Amino acid sequence: TDLQTIRVDRDPEGHDRVVLVTLNRPKALNALNTELMTELTHTLGELDADPAVGAIVITGSPRAFAAGADIKEMAEQTFADVYTGQWFGAWDTLAGVRTPLIAAVAGYALGGGCELAMMCDILLAADTAVFGQPEIKIGVIPGIGGSQRLTRAIGKAKAMDMCLTGRNMDVTEAERAGLVARIIPADELLEQALAVAATIAGMSKPVTMMAKEAVNRAFETTLAEGVRFERRLFYSTFAMADQREGMKAFVEKRPASFQHR
Ligand code: CO8
């Protein structure tokens, strides 16, 4: 298919089972208009269904991961438009992706850009990254989960500060607060993000999916139920050849070679 607003590279730089998705509306700092949201969610849905894909990296440009939902597109919409049109409904597809997603963020990750990064499983950030939920400054509030995911990621104190004042956080504060997994020098961001993806893509695919599912469960349930859920998944890994191979390889002091299925 002919994509206008994103680029999709399979096996980038020779990394087997990895896909790199690059947001590509540079003139609008990758603002997330309907076309981009549709292309991105549709593409991720397809990649998620592909057993040859072990991990996906989502990145932007050095200047902006994404500067939010497209304000020019939203400006003239009415309540009835956004309500009946179910704006941002397409993002539910993204929340349902079971393949590990890595955000490689450089520059601005504001509004919907910050929300997109937070919907990924591992958030890697260049030392140039800036995060914020500035919606309040344009008379709205976060609309793609920002008030919920930011609060879970960094706690009420900083989430309220950011959502009510619209101020940005630099990458140091974001890492300290728990929003960012690793800070990486900007010129190494992509290389390191692809390496992280390749590491994950080398694991057993169903087991990486289970690990993701188990961690995400922590946000949806009680500790006792979450531990029970984890244990069921742990037992079920013993139903697959990859558990035999992984443990056998350890005993034989060699790298494991997983079947991925
Ligand atoms: N939407 C549309 N266009 C944008 C956006 C955006 N979010 N961000 C930047 N652009 C465009 C600019 O308009 C400009 O275009 P042009 O050259 O045609 O004027 C171009 O990108 C470059 O931007 P700047 O000239 O502003 O670049 P600066 O380096 O001066 O500033 C900033 C960069 C600080 C990132 C600045 O562009 C900015 O503040 N952008 C907006 C950030 C923002 O408020 N994001 C939140 C948007 S709202 C949202 O994401 C969720 C909304 C939920 C609402 C629910 C309603 C249904």
Side-chain angles (χ1 to χ4, degrees):
T1 49
D2 206 8
L3 298 167
Q4 303 300 317
T5 59
I6 61 173
R7 284 200 316 270
V8 178
D9 299 305
R10 283 179 175 263
D11 302 343
E13 292 173 28
H15 292 299
D16 199 26
R17 301 174 53 75
V18 172
V19 179
L20 174 64
V21 176
T22 307
L23 310 182
N24 189 27
R25 288 189 73 210
K27 284 186 190 135
L29 301 183
N30 292 329
L32 309 165
N33 64 358
T34 303
E35 186 180 20
L36 189 151
M37 291 194 199
T38 306
E39 289 189 348
L40 181 63
T41 52
H42 182 80
T43 298
L44 289 173
E46 276 184 0
L47 293 173
D48 193 34
D50 185 343
V53 176
I56 301 166
V57 176
I58 303 178
T59 197
S61 72
R63 191 161 164 226
F65 179 71
D70 192 307
I71 300 169
K72 291 169 187 168
E73 191 183 57
M74 285 187 294
E76 300 299 325
Q77 303 286 322
T78 66
F79 166 75
D81 292 336
V82 296
Y83 178 74
T84 58
Q86 216 178 355
W87 271 55
F88 308 139
W91 292 101
D92 296 343
T93 313
L94 216 149
V97 169
R98 299 166 75 211
T99 306
L101 296 176
I102 295 155
V105 176
Y108 295 113
L110 302 179
C114 186
E115 292 168 306
L116 171 59
M118 289 192 292
M119 288 176 87
C120 295
D121 303 307
I122 302 182
L123 205 169
L124 304 177
D127 45 19
T128 58
V130 173
F131 299 87
Q133 298 289 161
E135 288 90 342
I136 197 98
K137 295 200 272 187
I138 55 168
V140 295
I141 68 168
I144 319 173
S147 66
Q148 305 304 298
R149 290 198 177 88
L150 189 65
T151 307
R152 280 167 165 81
I154 69 177
K156 174 180 166 177
K158 279 183 187 291
M160 278 291 190
D161 182 2
M162 292 177 65
C163 290
L164 288 175
T165 69
R167 81 169 173 92
N168 291 343
M169 280 201 302
D170 67 17
V171 74
T172 310
E173 183 179 5
E175 196 269 347
R176 207 178 341 115
L179 184 63
V180 165
R182 309 186 195 177
I183 303 176
I184 296 168
D187 58 357
E188 294 169 26
L189 176 68
L190 201 55
E191 182 190 327
Q192 289 204 29
L194 292 175
V196 170
T199 299
I200 295 169
M203 308 296 179
S204 167
K205 174 83 182 284
V207 178
T208 61
M209 292 167 79
M210 286 180 186
K212 169 171 174 167
E213 201 179 357
V215 173
N216 279 335
R217 194 72 171 194
F219 296 101
E220 307 285 353
T221 192
T222 62
L223 179 62
E225 279 307 317
V227 169
R228 198 197 310 270
F229 183 83
E230 178 196 75
R231 195 167 302 153
R232 302 308 306 180
L233 286 176
F234 173 81
Y235 293 153
S236 66
T237 61
F238 285 71
M240 293 182 288
D242 285 341
Q243 172 268 333
R244 295 263 183 296
E245 165 59 14
M247 294 188 180
K248 195 159 172 274
F250 174 81
V251 172
E252 293 172 0
K253 300 187 188 296
R254 60 170 174 83
S257 173
F258 294 116
Q259 288 181 10
H260 302 299
R261 58 192 160 74

